[in-house]
Amino acid sequence: GLGRFGVLYVDNAATETTLESRFRLVVTATAESDNGLSFGAQIRYQSNEHRSSYTGGGAGFNTPRFWVSTQGFTVSVGQVLGAIENMPGMYTGSVGLTGLGYANVVYNFAADAYTSGGAGAQGLDVLWSSGNWGVHFSYSWTGQGNTQTDDRVAAHVSYSMGNWNFALGGQDSNIAGDTSWAATVGGTWGNFDGTLQYADNDGNAKWGIAGNYQAGASTFVRGYINTDDAINDENYGLGFQHRMGGGTFLEGGIASLAGNTRADLGLRFSF
Amino acid sequence: GLGRFGVLYVDNAATETTLESRFRLVVTATAESDNGLSFGAQIRYQSNEHRSSYTGGGAGFNTPRFWVSTQGFTVSVGQVLGAIENMPGMYTGSVGLTGLGYANVVYNFAADAYTSGGAGAQGLDVLWSSGNWGVHFSYSWTGQGNTQTDDRVAAHVSYSMGNWNFALGGQDSNIAGDTSWAATVGGTWGNFDGTLQYADNDGNAKWGIAGNYQAGASTFVRGYINTDDAINDENYGLGFQHRMGGGTFLEGGIASLAGNTRADLGLRFSF
Amino acid sequence: GLGRFGVLYVDNAATETTLESRFRLVVTATAESDNGLSFGAQIRYQSNEHRSSYTGGGAGFNTPRFWVSTQGFTVSVGQVLGAIENMPGMYTGSVGLTGLGYANVVYNFAADAYTSGGAGAQGLDVLWSSGNWGVHFSYSWTGQGNTQTDDRVAAHVSYSMGNWNFALGGQDSNIAGDTSWAATVGGTWGNFDGTLQYADNDGNAKWGIAGNYQAGASTFVRGYINTDDAINDENYGLGFQHRMGGGTFLEGGIASLAGNTRADLGLRFSF
């Protein structure tokens, strides 16, 4: 799990500066059959700033995910991971303690995505990896407790070659605004890694570049800039992470989402 | 705890075929006094298909149960276990991944029963076992957070002799439909064990036979057939369990509940 | 965590005698940075008699608290601990299994206080201790998810000298009824320890004396008596605790709160 706390500033919000905190407890259960099948199940409890799990408190355990894996092949049932969400390089450029709105993510969350803080979508994922190749297929459909108005079928293929990574994903869905396809190209050069990100979100292109730079023994700088036809505007952000060892971090960042400024600063630790 | 997922078919249901899943996390806390009293408390988190514990999500921790035991004698306070529910042989013949409606259980859940998925009843259990004998007394009463319209007092006595088991239980309650008394007789012969089950549910007899057969090194076949005066009809079911080791199982079954067909198939694991 | 169960009597309550139980599960997560900063986060699940965390069930996890400490200095963010609540000697004289209404606590909970059974207040605590001195500062403010009508700033200083302990606390708040200041003086003499407690709650003085006496190898007697201008009446209570080893206890007590009698008896264990 993780704990984080700090201060968040959002320009023009009702309260611009707020105490920011998150507690996330990950409960993972596993078993292995005699023939080598790995079984697993996971639920996550998440409480954001001042949320309890008492009725109306706003915190809770998310919907479970179950899986069986063997030799690089995984079938997952329950809350969908999402093939577009999990493309390599999709989250490159996430800045600050909180992600500051995650405007760096070019598919704009217009596809199935796993969430610790809610229900997500119920369905299936099939994942396969072998050598330099990876394949991820995901499927959620109407009914089954899902409130979506159409089925979502998505897949991505990824390939790595030397210090380059390529991923291409597509989605079949008639939900308004949903991502049609997305692509990422990433590379690593010494202390720097960067990724070109592109998504076609129901006809609107969003594309940009994001990168990480290791500025010192334990200090990292991250940034992104992109343009989104859906809002006819740009987003950009810059953040740093200082690793204090033992899974503890000092993080902060500043971002501009279509001209609106956000900033944060705080401590985070993993457990 | 346990995880299970698969497919469930219920004839004539609004959606006949559904993704079935359950995540159950059992939290047990214990302590022991210097004079040998064992203290315990247990809560269980349960989430069925696509349920979260967020407000309105439908999953959660059940009501706690507390106990003190010493030398075969246990006093339990909080959520009631139920003396009729816990008669030996009452659940023989449970089929499939999900129990397929548990029509094999002849007391028709018309008595206090422990549940992981809700509140159950609040009260007391007293259990005692010695040699071949077992005694279980349970008591829940109106008020105390219980919504029931009358007190429920129940008890059973069990006795084992060679490869035979006998149990007799009775309940005092004026709640409409509640079980008056029940009896089970079970025996084991090599790879087969079977149980005769009888219950008088407020004047309606439900009785039948259920059994398990070990068909191979790790494969079990289970079945039951019974008749219930309350519905003037029969129930029967047949299921299999394949044990894959490490607490992992492949399970499935088919049952007819008063002529309505149910079937399931899936994977289950314990942790 | 803890489990407790027993019987509670409250004179003139709708149901005077009730089954009493509480299950509390404490989840604490920690990490340590290379430079010696200790990070921590804690949530607590609490279920009182027959409460579940299902929607409307009334049990749940409280709001999280996060902290960073180093060398006697702690900054805490999230649910406020409360400087008045945590004055040394404030809880001396708590009687019975349940506290029987905690009328021994002279500040009448008219300040920020940490709770396992609800939301509490969101804000900050700063704690510092060195040698015989201790300082605690707490702050919660309007907005931030707090429903309070004014900011609460509180602090206490404590000092120990030989077998004497002194604490003085004050609070700045315009919330009606809130405590202005409080003081405790405690001492230890052999098997007995006692504390004088005083609080000025928005102009109403509440003051009294409370103590513990070790009556045998594992038996303790506790009591208090105080007078409260706010109700123009007295409260007093007497309780015992028998330690059975391994973190298990038999506890009971009787108290008079402004003339109304309460009594309880039961078992408690820590885990």
Side-chain angles (χ1 to χ4, degrees):
Chain A
L2 72 85
R4 76 180 190 203
F5 55 96
V7 177
L8 173 66
Y9 172 85
V10 178
D11 202 21
N12 296 319
T15 307
E16 293 195 324
T17 304
T18 54
L19 267 186
E20 153 67 32
S21 65
R22 171 169 290 179
F23 181 92
R24 183 184 290 171
L25 177 69
V26 179
V27 179
T28 308
T30 57
E32 188 161 0
S33 72
D34 292 346
N35 60 359
L37 288 174
S38 293
F39 288 68
Q42 188 177 96
I43 53 173
R44 296 177 175 193
Y45 179 81
Q46 184 166 302
S47 171
N48 288 343
E49 43 287 359
H50 212 51
R51 297 287 180 268
S52 75
S53 80
Y54 286 91
T55 303
F61 284 103
N62 70 351
T63 54
R65 189 173 76 85
F66 305 87
W67 64 89
V68 188
S69 338
T70 183
Q71 296 175 332
F73 186 80
T74 297
V75 176
S76 170
V77 173
Q79 192 181 144
V80 176
L81 291 172
I84 302 296
E85 159 91 355
N86 285 278
M87 287 173 65
M90 184 57 86
Y91 272 84
T92 307
S94 297
V95 295
L97 179 70
T98 65
L100 293 173
Y102 287 106
N104 57 310
V105 177
V106 292
Y107 87 98
N108 281 347
F109 303 95
D112 287 334
Y114 184 87
T115 174
S116 305
Q122 186 181 214
L124 300 170
D125 291 90
V126 180
L127 294 91
W128 174 79
S129 66
S130 177
N132 298 332
W133 290 90
V135 176
H136 186 161
F137 167 85
S138 66
Y139 177 38
S140 69
W141 59 100
T142 55
Q144 305 287 334
N146 291 322
T147 54
Q148 63 202 55
T149 56
D150 194 40
D151 297 356
R152 279 172 159 172
V153 181
H156 84 242
V157 177
S158 65
Y159 179 71
S160 62
M161 189 175 62
N163 56 341
W164 290 88
N165 291 278
F166 305 89
L168 181 65
Q171 179 176 239
D172 182 20
S173 155
N174 288 317
I175 299 173
D178 260 14
T179 302
S180 304
W181 65 275
T184 60
V185 178
T188 306
W189 300 270
N191 282 353
F192 178 79
D193 67 89
T195 302
L196 289 165
Q197 300 157 323
Y198 183 94
D200 176 333
N201 302 316
D202 208 3
N204 287 308
K206 182 177 180 182
W207 61 278
I209 186 163
N212 302 307
Y213 178 69
Q214 182 165 3
S218 54
T219 302
F220 295 76
V221 178
R222 293 162 177 182
Y224 71 92
I225 180 165
N226 60 46
T227 180
D228 186 352
D229 286 358
I231 55 170
N232 198 23
D233 212 333
E234 284 76 42
N235 309 297
Y236 47 87
L238 192 66
F240 78 98
Q241 180 186 65
H242 183 68
R243 303 187 179 176
M244 299 187 292
T248 67
F249 306 89
L250 174 66
E251 294 178 328
I254 184 163
S256 169
L257 278 62
N260 204 58
T261 303
R262 300 183 182 205
D264 63 14
L265 181 65
L267 296 165
R268 184 167 68 84
F269 68 102
S270 303
F271 57 85
Chain B
L2 71 84
R4 76 181 192 202
F5 54 97
V7 177
L8 173 66
Y9 171 85
V10 178
D11 203 20
N12 296 319
T15 306
E16 294 194 325
T17 303
T18 53
L19 266 185
E20 154 66 32
S21 65
R22 171 169 290 179
F23 179 91
R24 182 185 292 171
L25 178 69
V26 179
V27 179
T28 307
T30 57
E32 187 161 0
S33 73
D34 292 345
N35 61 358
L37 288 174
S38 294
F39 288 68
Q42 189 178 93
I43 53 172
R44 296 177 174 193
Y45 179 82
Q46 183 165 301
S47 170
N48 287 343
E49 43 286 358
H50 212 51
R51 296 287 181 270
S52 76
S53 79
Y54 286 91
T55 302
F61 283 101
N62 71 352
T63 54
R65 189 172 76 85
F66 305 87
W67 64 88
V68 189
S69 336
T70 183
Q71 296 177 331
F73 185 81
T74 298
V75 176
S76 171
V77 173
Q79 192 182 145
V80 176
L81 291 171
I84 302 296
E85 160 90 355
N86 284 279
M87 286 173 66
M90 184 57 86
Y91 273 84
T92 308
S94 297
V95 295
L97 179 69
T98 66
L100 293 172
Y102 287 106
N104 57 311
V105 177
V106 291
Y107 87 98
N108 282 346
F109 302 95
D112 286 334
Y114 184 87
T115 174
S116 304
Q122 187 181 212
L124 301 170
D125 291 88
V126 180
L127 294 91
W128 174 79
S129 66
S130 177
N132 298 331
W133 291 89
V135 176
H136 186 160
F137 167 86
S138 66
Y139 178 39
S140 69
W141 59 99
T142 54
Q144 304 287 333
N146 292 322
T147 55
Q148 64 202 53
T149 56
D150 194 41
D151 297 356
R152 279 171 159 173
V153 181
H156 85 242
V157 177
S158 64
Y159 179 71
S160 63
M161 188 176 61
N163 55 340
W164 289 88
N165 291 278
F166 304 89
L168 181 66
Q171 180 176 241
D172 182 21
S173 156
N174 288 318
I175 298 173
D178 259 15
T179 302
S180 303
W181 64 276
T184 60
V185 178
T188 306
W189 300 271
N191 282 352
F192 178 79
D193 68 89
T195 302
L196 290 166
Q197 300 157 323
Y198 183 94
D200 175 333
N201 302 318
D202 208 2
N204 288 308
K206 182 176 180 181
W207 60 277
I209 186 163
N212 302 306
Y213 178 69
Q214 183 165 2
S218 54
T219 302
F220 296 76
V221 178
R222 294 163 176 182
Y224 71 91
I225 179 164
N226 60 45
T227 181
D228 187 351
D229 286 358
I231 55 170
N232 198 23
D233 212 332
E234 284 76 42
N235 308 297
Y236 47 87
L238 192 66
F240 79 97
Q241 181 186 66
H242 183 68
R243 300 185 181 178
M244 300 187 291
T248 67
F249 306 89
L250 174 66
E251 295 179 328
I254 183 163
S256 170
L257 278 63
N260 203 56
T261 302
R262 298 183 182 204
D264 64 14
L265 180 66
L267 295 165
R268 184 167 66 84
F269 68 103
S270 303
F271 57 85
Chain C
L2 71 84
R4 77 180 191 200
F5 56 97
V7 177
L8 173 66
Y9 172 85
V10 178
D11 202 21
N12 297 319
T15 306
E16 293 194 326
T17 304
T18 53
L19 267 185
E20 155 65 34
S21 65
R22 171 169 289 178
F23 180 92
R24 183 184 291 170
L25 178 69
V26 179
V27 180
T28 308
T30 56
E32 188 162 0
S33 73
D34 292 345
N35 60 359
L37 288 174
S38 292
F39 287 68
Q42 188 178 95
I43 53 172
R44 297 177 173 193
Y45 178 81
Q46 184 166 301
S47 171
N48 287 343
E49 43 286 359
H50 212 50
R51 297 286 181 272
S52 75
S53 79
Y54 286 92
T55 302
F61 283 102
N62 70 351
T63 53
R65 189 173 76 86
F66 305 86
W67 64 90
V68 188
S69 338
T70 184
Q71 296 176 330
F73 185 80
T74 298
V75 176
S76 171
V77 173
Q79 193 182 143
V80 176
L81 291 171
I84 303 296
E85 158 91 355
N86 285 277
M87 285 173 66
M90 184 57 87
Y91 272 83
T92 308
S94 297
V95 295
L97 179 69
T98 64
L100 293 172
Y102 287 106
N104 57 310
V105 177
V106 291
Y107 86 98
N108 281 347
F109 303 95
D112 286 334
Y114 185 87
T115 174
S116 305
Q122 187 181 211
L124 300 170
D125 291 88
V126 179
L127 293 91
W128 174 79
S129 67
S130 177
N132 298 330
W133 290 90
V135 176
H136 186 161
F137 167 85
S138 66
Y139 177 39
S140 69
W141 59 99
T142 55
Q144 304 288 333
N146 293 321
T147 55
Q148 64 203 55
T149 55
D150 193 39
D151 297 357
R152 279 172 159 172
V153 181
H156 85 242
V157 177
S158 65
Y159 179 70
S160 62
M161 189 175 61
N163 56 340
W164 289 88
N165 291 279
F166 305 88
L168 181 65
Q171 180 175 238
D172 182 21
S173 156
N174 289 318
I175 298 172
D178 260 14
T179 301
S180 304
W181 64 276
T184 61
V185 178
T188 307
W189 301 270
N191 281 353
F192 178 79
D193 68 89
T195 303
L196 289 166
Q197 301 157 323
Y198 183 94
D200 175 333
N201 302 317
D202 208 2
N204 288 306
K206 182 176 180 182
W207 61 279
I209 186 163
N212 302 305
Y213 178 68
Q214 181 164 3
S218 54
T219 303
F220 295 76
V221 178
R222 292 162 178 183
Y224 72 92
I225 179 163
N226 59 46
T227 181
D228 187 352
D229 287 356
I231 56 171
N232 198 23
D233 212 334
E234 284 76 43
N235 309 295
Y236 47 89
L238 192 66
F240 78 98
Q241 181 187 64
H242 183 67
R243 301 186 180 177
M244 301 187 291
T248 67
F249 306 89
L250 174 66
E251 294 177 329
I254 184 162
S256 170
L257 278 63
N260 204 56
T261 303
R262 300 182 180 204
D264 63 13
L265 181 65
L267 295 165
R268 183 167 69 83
F269 69 103
S270 303
F271 58 84

